[in-house]
Amino acid sequence: MVTVADLYDAAARAGLLTPVKAGALVVECVFRAPDETVLDGLALSRDYEIEYPTARLSLAAGDRVEIGGASFRVREVFALRDGSECRAKLARVS
């Protein structure tokens, strides 16, 4: 049976994901920045967000992550679909 983590592994091998560092752990995640287009170019993303498999990473509001050398604070975390994935909204930290 194919799991969500397997799909993330395939996407990482294809170069579609971004490494996110949380403490000493580095996990490949979907990363969206405010200037990225979504919905096939019909809209702009308004928040920094990451999506990740819950089997690989556990985040809570207030946690810090590093993406591409920039620091972010987790604002909110939402479970997606059956709970095997989460979406975290982030705030960039200066």
Side-chain angles (χ1 to χ4, degrees), residues 3-60:
T3 66
V4 168
D6 295 331
L7 296 174
Y8 275 81
D9 289 341
R13 284 190 300 274
L16 300 174
L17 302 181
T18 302
V20 174
K21 184 176 180 186
L25 185 64
V26 177
V27 177
E28 295 284 335
C29 300
V30 175
F31 175 62
R32 291 186 186 93
D35 60 347
E36 289 186 350
T37 58
V38 294
L39 302 173
D40 278 334
L42 298 176
L44 289 177
S45 172
R46 295 181 6 192
D47 294 316
Y48 290 102
E49 296 179 340
I50 57 172
E51 289 181 14
Y52 55 91
T54 54
R56 303 248 171 99
L57 184 60
S58 177
L59 294 173

Side-chain angles (χ1 to χ4, degrees), residues 18-21 26 31 65-72 92:
T18 302
V20 174
K21 184 176 180 186
V26 177
F31 175 62
V65 296
E66 184 179 311
I67 303 169
S71 293
F72 296 86
R92 191 162 185 169

